[in-house]
Amino acid sequence: MRDLLVLGSASAVPTKRRNHNGYLLRWDGHGLLFDPGEGTQRQMTRAGASATELNWLCLTHFHGDHCLGVPGIVQRIARDQVPHPVRAVFPGSGAEYWARLRHASLFRDTDVITEHPLTGDGVDLDTGDAPFTLTARRLSHPVDAYGYRLAEPDGRRMLPDELARFGVTGPLVRTLLDTGAVVAPSGRTVRLDEVSARRPGQVFAFVMDTRLCAGVTALAAGADMLVIESTFLNRDAALAAEYGHLTAGQAGRVASDGGVRHLVLTHFSERYPADEEHRFHDEAAAAFDGEITVVHDLDRIPLPKRRDK
């Protein structure tokens, strides 16, 4: 399963329709929870998600709408006796805030959570035996903030017609994949690149509170799915720049310039009434002609099918 579960989609102030932020990416049995704001634990319950699904807890920064759900999530991990490691990633300059959230109240603690503070402009995180890499890049916000990029290594797609042409079948295919070459029944040596094609790995990018900057560009490049804040409509671009945010139009341009396949807009300001929601889509679509989703709480959004090349 590879999909995004939207647990909340408001910005600073939750509304009747939108909870504080919270995004659970499920990727081949690994669960990455991004920016759990207030109420995330309950939203997970409503959505049928479990703390036992979590392997990563990734915070972009320490504004409340992106982290006030941490105490509940941490305590739920402990209460449910999650047996596997859970890596907590956050800006290192906010370690004091992490410590307060991590130990916000009395509970029987757990030792499965390990802390991985971020420093510098870019960090390649150790993902162990997970089937992906995870990179954090610094963003442009009034406080230290990072975005995240999950990338699957490229693979190979076997070409059945070419395999048949050379008579490579059964166990020979496995040998070919393992060694890169095999001797066919005809006696000819067949190389892997003769009977297969590159299968690009999938890429997921997560960009929250930021102005346009080099980090945004690097995270979004070639993403199959880009989850990005679009706090403001274009008419409020000056406010967006002042407070370190993006407009829907800017999000659309990021997706277009980066060759993104599916643009997911979220983190909407409470200043806009429901009847203006379509404007976020329309303003992004003016710059980006790919698939666009304006999220709602508890949406489940599958990653696009793999690229062929």
Side-chain angles (χ1 to χ4, degrees):
M1 178 187 296
R2 295 185 181 182
D3 68 4
L4 178 74
L5 174 58
V6 179
L7 302 167
S9 53
S11 56
V13 178
T15 68
K16 291 181 179 179
R17 300 171 57 247
R18 297 187 182 277
N19 199 69
H20 261 172
N21 289 282
Y23 310 87
L24 175 57
L25 176 66
R26 295 183 288 194
W27 188 289
D28 295 357
H30 296 257
L32 298 91
L33 179 61
F34 294 94
D35 280 5
E38 184 180 352
T40 295
Q41 182 184 185
R42 184 169 183 271
Q43 292 291 88
M44 288 178 65
T45 299
R46 292 181 64 201
S50 167
T52 59
E53 296 182 54
L54 304 182
N55 305 92
W56 292 83
L57 174 57
C58 300
L59 304 184
T60 59
H61 64 294
F62 284 101
H63 280 152
D65 52 322
H66 297 262
C67 68
L68 286 176
V70 167
I73 294 299
V74 167
Q75 294 182 31
R76 188 61 177 269
I77 289 170
R79 185 182 186 279
D80 290 0
Q81 299 180 26
V82 172
H84 53 256
V86 178
R87 298 173 176 89
V89 187
F90 52 86
S93 62
E96 175 185 357
Y97 300 105
W98 166 260
R100 292 176 187 174
L101 293 164
R102 173 80 173 79
H103 302 286
S105 68
L106 293 173
F107 70 106
R108 183 174 293 178
D109 206 351
T110 176
D111 61 2
V112 302
I113 298 175
T114 58
E115 299 172 1
H116 302 268
L118 300 170
T119 58
D121 290 334
V123 180
D124 294 325
L125 293 153
D126 181 2
T127 56
D129 60 357
F132 52 78
T133 61
L134 186 62
T135 302
R137 291 292 300 263
R138 188 183 295 277
L139 300 175
S140 174
H141 198 50
V143 301
D144 279 355
Y146 286 82
Y148 295 92
R149 178 182 174 95
L150 183 151
E152 176 186 33
D154 290 346
R156 304 297 299 182
R157 176 171 55 89
M158 304 308 291
L159 304 174
D161 290 345
E162 295 303 306
L163 289 169
R165 184 164 71 90
F166 290 113
V168 178
T169 60
L172 289 177
V173 177
R174 181 73 265 169
T175 302
L176 182 61
L177 286 167
D178 291 341
T179 66
V182 70
V183 178
S186 66
R188 185 188 187 282
T189 298
V190 178
R191 301 187 313 276
L192 180 60
D193 60 7
E194 294 181 282
V195 293
S196 67
R198 172 179 169 269
R199 183 194 66 185
Q202 290 189 308
V203 174
F204 170 88
F206 185 80
V207 175
M208 283 294 116
D209 300 18
T210 185
R211 304 174 184 91
L212 293 175
C213 64
V216 173
T217 301
L219 292 166
D224 293 276
M225 178 181 288
L226 169 62
V227 179
I228 188 167
E229 66 126 316
S230 56
T231 309
F232 292 97
L233 292 173
N234 292 343
R235 67 176 184 250
D236 294 315
L239 282 177
E242 179 181 356
Y243 291 107
H245 286 289
L246 297 174
T247 67
Q250 288 173 323
R253 288 195 293 277
V254 168
S256 179
D257 292 346
V260 169
R261 298 177 64 201
H262 188 166
L263 173 62
V264 178
L265 302 177
T266 188
H267 195 270
F268 306 109
S269 171
E270 77 280 4
R271 72 182 58 241
Y272 303 110
D275 61 7
E276 285 201 292
E277 185 175 281
H278 69 95
R279 298 187 185 276
F280 289 92
H281 178 281
D282 294 347
E283 293 185 0
F288 175 65
D289 61 3
E291 184 175 6
I292 299 173
T293 297
V294 176
V295 302
H296 300 92
D297 289 10
L298 306 186
D299 280 353
R300 296 174 186 265
I301 309 171
L303 261 77
K305 292 182 179 180
R306 294 181 183 276
R307 301 176 194 259
D308 290 332
K309 56 184 178 179

